[in-house]
Amino acid sequence: MNYKSISEENFAEYVDLMSIVLVTVTQIEKECLHERLTPLHGLENILVVQKQFYTYYLGMLGKYAVCHVESRMGSSGAGASTMTVQQAIEFVKPTFIMMVGIAFGVNNKEQRIGDVLVSELIIQYENIKVKRGKIQCRGYKQMSSVLLLNRFVNPIGWEFALTPTRRSRVLSGNMLSGEKLIDDVKYRNQLVRLFEPVVGGEMEGTGLASVAHAYSKNWLVIKGICDFADGNKGINKVKKQYLAARAAVDLCCNVFNDNFTFKDLGVFPLETLKEEDNVFCKIDQTVFRDATFNAYSVTKEAYYLNREIDVMYSNYIAAKANIWSFGKSGMGKTCMTFRNLIQAGKRIFVIDFSSIEASNMLSFFEYMQARLLDFVDHKDTTWLSPVSIMQAMDNICEIANRYLNDSYIVMEEMPVDDDNDNVFKHVFSLIVKNSIQYPDSAVNFAFTSIGDPKKRVLSMAEKIGEKINFLEAIEWTTKEMSLLLQLMLDMLNCNIGPHYSSILVEKSYNNPRKLKTNLRDLILFSQFKDQPFETSLQQYFETDMRHE
């Protein structure tokens, strides 16, 4: 297996391909997965990109592009699955995320080493209440993605030989998950009785389940049985772990070789567009990916529609202003923010607040401080966790001005709504504090939110206007939507005609993200049809778009 290291900037060229993230924990799990990985089409090496504490591997598993990341053992602690999954979701922004590896079974009479467990529920068993000799479960149970579960418990034609006469089986059910490495039959049986019915257990699923749920991501745990947590873990340990891991990976490969298995999630094989000149609309895969992008990078500039609001944003940057863009989801706030900052040559440091609980302001600013420290080399100073909001603000201002000079700190998905009135007030206080303590500061802030922050502080509107410039990302006009569609079609060298173009714009409801999704679906719909492109167009608009 050959690997090639790439930069974060180069990774931006591939991020739109990465709809699937796979997580492993042990070295054996990694080896077994990489035995089956191949380079992305057109490349000779598995791509490797490093981001903070993690290394990501980009390649193909079956017919699908995947991003692989390693976690440390367990769900809690630095580098464990909770942190690993959160960072992967924020960095890669996948459609779904799966954990592949090894687990323990609970019944050596009905289960065999190498059978593959697929999670229906993850049961966190660590939190229990003990009172008067009785044990009561206090942990949570999280249900896996029903769609992913269906695909993996019904694999078409899958066979994995454990012995010359025995094949691996897929066993779905509830899986225990906790921090303990269990190798004691009495303790295992106690857990089984307490949480029955269960099919097995492992140590990292809790982190995956909790974070994926918070980010509204589909998820699944797929792990082969390598032992029965019965005190015999050490017998032929390595051999059994390789067998179990290879069985789990082989099941994934079987499912990932189906063209349609993830279609309902909007995930398709990387290269399935056919090229027969007289039958199909010829689409360049790279152009197709870039033209319908959802995350901006420099390579996407040719596909970006520059509008009046972009001119305003650019002017605010030139004036070294703090900027807050807000509006409905899908209107392009984040793309607009990154595009104009990148085009202005600004250094950008991003903090994502989409999964952060805003009811506790100290925790909110503590998280902000921690994320800023992730970006810098601060060996010269020990930064303690703040004990007050004001201390947190002081620390944030000092970190920003000491290490992040001449930059924009981008705070995405700020939780500004009726339940979080204090967020904007405290953030505004941070900006004021920064301007007072560092009057010549070259650090600015850019925010995005769905809610309108100005509604929370109408009495302070004039004062706030001196420190923050607001831009509302309103619904796109029909003209803007038509221009965006034509730009994408021209780049794709694809003609769908004015009639279908107007329908596509109409059915996108002034939402550019919806328009890109509709165009993406249209192109992908046509690739699976062994018929002229014009016929596929007609069928798509009569069925998927429900237009007669």
Side-chain angles (χ1 to χ4, degrees):
M1 180 70 69
N2 295 318
Y3 299 87
K4 179 182 179 181
S5 180
I6 62 173
S7 66
E8 285 188 49
E9 289 74 19
N10 292 138
F11 173 74
E13 301 177 16
Y14 300 96
V15 67
D16 285 344
L17 299 178
M18 299 299 137
S19 298
I20 305 167
V21 165
L22 303 179
V23 183
T24 63
V25 179
T26 71
Q27 180 63 26
I28 288 176
E29 292 173 348
K30 175 187 174 182
E31 288 179 18
C32 293
L33 176 60
H34 283 219
E35 287 174 355
R36 307 298 294 272
L37 283 185
T38 58
L40 295 169
H41 295 319
L43 302 181
E44 297 180 353
N45 305 292
I46 300 296
L47 301 182
V48 182
V49 60
Q50 295 177 324
K51 171 74 170 178
Q52 296 177 8
F53 312 117
Y54 299 98
T55 300
Y56 299 87
Y57 302 89
L58 315 183
M60 299 289 297
L61 188 67
K63 297 181 178 180
Y64 293 82
V66 299
C67 178
H68 167 232
V69 63
E70 292 179 88
S71 168
R72 296 188 68 179
M73 192 174 293
S75 292
S76 62
S81 65
T82 298
M83 184 179 293
T84 301
V85 173
Q86 180 176 356
Q87 294 296 318
I89 290 176
E90 292 183 0
F91 184 48
V92 184
K93 296 178 172 57
T95 300
F96 64 87
I97 185 164
M98 302 194 315
M99 191 164 282
V100 184
I102 56 178
F104 67 83
V106 295
N107 188 334
N108 59 5
K109 294 182 179 179
E110 298 183 3
Q111 300 172 329
R112 293 290 182 267
I113 301 297
D115 285 343
V116 180
L117 305 180
V118 179
S119 62
E120 293 183 7
L121 288 174
I122 287 292
I123 302 174
Q124 198 267 46
Y125 67 77
E126 293 287 356
N127 294 340
I128 58 175
K129 177 182 179 181
V130 181
K131 185 176 181 180
R132 297 190 182 97
K134 294 183 178 181
I135 300 177
Q136 179 182 355
C137 174
R138 301 293 292 269
Y140 67 85
K141 300 178 181 180
Q142 192 69 48
M143 187 173 184
S144 306
S145 164
V146 176
L147 189 147
L148 290 177
L149 177 65
N150 172 270
R151 300 304 188 262
F152 280 84
V153 299
N154 296 294
I156 300 173
W158 180 62
E159 287 190 356
F160 182 82
L162 302 177
T163 70
T165 59
R166 184 182 296 276
R167 300 290 182 265
S168 176
R169 296 174 301 158
V170 177
L171 307 175
S172 64
N174 302 341
M175 293 178 64
L176 300 169
S177 185
E179 298 300 310
K180 296 178 179 65
L181 183 62
I182 301 173
D183 194 24
D184 183 273
V185 68
K186 290 183 178 179
Y187 185 70
R188 183 205 72 185
N189 289 341
Q190 182 182 20
L191 288 176
V192 171
R193 286 193 298 270
L194 186 61
F195 297 102
E196 63 182 353
V198 296
V199 294
E202 48 81 79
M203 299 176 64
E204 295 78 31
T206 293
L208 169 64
S210 60
V211 176
H213 176 72
Y215 281 83
S216 299
K217 297 293 183 181
N218 289 278
W219 63 274
L220 197 67
V221 175
I222 303 159
K223 295 195 173 186
I225 296 176
C226 66
D227 62 69
F228 292 95
D230 56 3
N232 297 311
K233 186 185 294 285
I235 301 175
N236 295 324
K237 175 181 176 180
V238 173
K239 179 180 179 180
K240 290 187 289 187
Q241 289 186 351
Y242 270 110
L243 180 64
R246 285 182 174 130
V249 171
D250 193 76
L251 173 61
C252 291
C253 288
N254 174 271
V255 175
F256 279 53
N257 270 305
D258 188 290
N259 283 333
F260 308 101
T261 192
F262 303 125
K263 180 178 183 294
D264 291 329
L265 293 174
V267 177
F268 297 88
L270 179 58
E271 281 202 6
T272 51
L273 296 182
K274 301 181 177 65
E275 297 182 353
E276 291 86 341
D277 291 345
N278 61 339
V279 177
F280 295 92
C281 177
K282 246 187 190 176
I283 299 295
D284 181 281
Q285 284 286 303
T286 302
V287 175
F288 175 57
R289 178 196 68 206
D290 289 349
T292 58
F293 73 90
N294 284 323
Y296 179 85
S297 65
V298 175
T299 60
K300 313 296 195 308
E301 177 61 23
Y303 313 99
Y304 187 89
L305 182 66
N306 196 49
R307 302 181 299 141
E308 288 186 14
I309 194 171
D310 291 289
V311 176
M312 296 173 62
Y313 205 109
S314 179
N315 289 339
Y316 287 146
I317 296 172
K320 299 181 178 179
N322 301 305
I323 310 167
W324 194 306
S325 57
F326 64 95
K328 294 179 181 179
S329 179
M331 295 301 156
K333 301 182 295 296
T334 300
C335 284
M336 174 179 68
T337 299
F338 282 98
R339 183 263 181 178
N340 289 291
L341 289 173
I342 290 172
Q343 289 296 312
K346 296 295 183 180
R347 292 200 302 160
I348 304 171
F349 301 93
V350 184
I351 305 176
D352 186 347
F353 288 91
S354 59
S355 63
I356 301 305
E357 174 60 49
S359 59
N360 186 321
M361 282 293 100
L362 177 56
S363 297
F364 183 86
F365 281 95
E366 187 176 9
Y367 170 77
M368 190 185 302
Q369 174 183 317
R371 291 310 308 272
L372 288 180
L373 288 173
D374 287 342
F375 299 130
V376 302
D377 181 2
H378 55 89
K379 295 179 181 178
D380 57 330
T381 304
T382 300
W383 297 90
L384 300 177
S385 297
V387 297
S388 68
I389 296 175
M390 294 306 293
Q391 183 186 2
M393 290 184 181
D394 287 335
N395 290 349
I396 290 166
C397 291
E398 184 176 353
I399 293 167
N401 288 277
R402 181 186 295 190
Y403 302 108
L404 308 179
N405 198 37
D406 192 25
S407 66
Y408 266 82
I409 298 174
V410 179
M411 301 190 185
E412 287 191 275
E413 302 293 339
M414 293 295 286
V416 176
D417 53 42
D418 293 335
D419 297 326
N420 294 316
D421 285 346
N422 286 330
V423 171
F424 180 77
K425 294 176 183 178
H426 282 90
V427 168
F428 179 66
S429 297
L430 172 66
I431 293 175
V432 172
K433 177 179 282 290
N434 186 64
S435 65
I436 293 174
Q437 293 183 349
Y438 301 89
D440 298 322
S441 175
V443 176
N444 293 100
F445 298 88
F447 307 89
T448 69
S449 67
I450 293 177
D452 182 353
K454 304 193 305 302
K455 289 183 178 180
R456 322 297 163 195
V457 284
L458 293 176
S459 60
M460 303 169 58
E462 184 175 347
K463 183 178 180 180
I464 291 172
E466 298 173 0
K467 300 292 183 183
I468 305 176
N469 292 277
F470 296 95
L471 279 175
E472 182 177 6
I474 61 175
E475 291 184 349
W476 287 38
T477 65
T478 300
K479 180 180 179 180
E480 289 172 334
M481 294 284 284
S482 298
L483 288 172
L484 176 61
L485 176 59
Q486 194 58 51
L487 173 63
M488 293 188 290
L489 291 173
D490 288 346
M491 290 295 184
L492 292 169
N493 193 28
C494 182
N495 180 22
I496 66 173
H499 174 63
Y500 289 133
S501 292
S502 64
I503 297 173
L504 209 59
V505 168
E506 178 188 352
K507 295 296 183 179
S508 299
Y509 307 109
N510 304 103
N511 186 314
R513 182 188 297 166
K514 179 68 173 175
L515 178 63
K516 291 182 178 182
T517 299
N518 285 340
L519 179 60
R520 199 180 294 122
D521 288 347
L522 166 60
I523 298 299
L524 292 170
F525 176 86
S526 70
Q527 72 184 322
F528 297 117
K529 303 294 183 179
D530 188 17
Q531 59 191 19
F533 180 66
E534 291 75 10
T535 304
S536 296
L537 269 179
Q538 182 178 359
Q539 289 180 352
Y540 177 78
F541 282 98
E542 289 181 349
T543 56
D544 282 43
M545 296 296 286
R546 293 180 174 84
H547 186 87
E548 299 295 337

